[in-house]
Amino acid sequence: MNYNETSIRVRYGETDQMGVVYHGNYAVYFEVGRTEWLREFGLSYSGMEADGIMLPVVSLTINYKNSARYDDVLKVKTSLKKMPTASIEFEYELRNESDVLLATGNTILAFIDTERNRPTRCPKYLLDKLQDYSL
C-alpha cells in the first residue's frame, strides 16, 4: 500500500451560493484523507493523543485546479511523502467522479509530546507499522 483513497460527498453547507465548494473546505477534505490513512495502519488521532502525542499541522499548501461542487463525490488520495522523523508529511490529490483533478496539496504535521509540550520523534509503533510502506 503506498496511498489511501477515501470518498467524500460534498454537502450543501460546504458550498457558496453558486454551489461551488468554499476553498477552506479543501483543508478539511485533506484531514479526512490523513485520518483514514492512519486508520489503515490501525491508528487514530484519539489513540495517539491518549499515548501523549499530538499532531498539529505546521504547514499546509493547496493548489486549486478545478472547482468541486455540491453533491459531487470526491476522491481524496493521500500518500506519505517520506518516512517520518519529528514530523510527518503527506501529499494529496482531490478528484471528482469523472476523475478530473480538482486540487493537490501537502501538509506537514509535527509530533508533539503533550506532557512536555515539546516536539518529539515519531513514535516507534508508527515507524514499526510503516516498515513495509513503499514510498
Side-chain angles (χ1 to χ4, degrees):
M1 172 186 70
N2 57 3
Y3 67 90
N4 170 274
E5 194 166 270
T6 302
S7 294
I8 302 169
R9 184 175 297 273
V10 174
R11 296 170 295 209
Y12 185 77
E14 298 167 344
T15 65
D16 61 18
Q17 192 172 7
M18 297 177 293
V20 174
V21 170
Y22 173 70
H23 72 276
N25 286 315
Y26 289 73
V28 175
Y29 300 152
F30 292 168
E31 180 183 14
V32 170
R34 274 195 310 278
T35 301
E36 295 307 314
W37 184 91
L38 282 169
R39 285 186 203 286
E40 285 210 7
F41 291 96
L43 301 171
S44 68
Y45 277 131
S46 60
M48 293 179 81
E49 289 171 0
D51 289 338
I53 299 292
M54 297 289 280
L55 276 171
V57 173
V58 296
S59 175
L60 166 66
T61 304
I62 303 174
N63 297 302
Y64 301 96
K65 308 293 185 185
N66 288 289
S67 296
R69 299 186 174 278
Y70 171 64
D71 213 31
D72 282 353
V73 175
L74 309 177
K75 293 178 285 184
V76 183
K77 181 178 177 182
T78 306
S79 56
L80 186 66
K81 184 170 181 180
K82 60 185 178 182
M83 292 305 278
T85 54
S87 63
I88 188 166
E89 187 169 358
F90 294 98
E91 292 184 327
Y92 310 90
E93 281 187 5
L94 186 67
R95 295 180 179 270
N96 64 16
E97 292 173 287
S98 300
D99 206 35
V100 173
L101 182 63
L102 305 176
T104 60
N106 176 282
T107 55
I108 300 173
L109 295 87
F111 291 100
I112 302 294
D113 178 325
T114 57
E115 188 175 308
R116 298 180 310 124
N117 198 30
R118 304 286 303 162
T120 190
R121 303 216 32 96
C122 177
K124 185 176 181 325
Y125 60 82
L126 177 53
L127 290 173
D128 289 345
K129 289 181 181 274
L130 292 176
Q131 276 186 338
D132 296 327
Y133 189 83
S134 62
L135 292 172

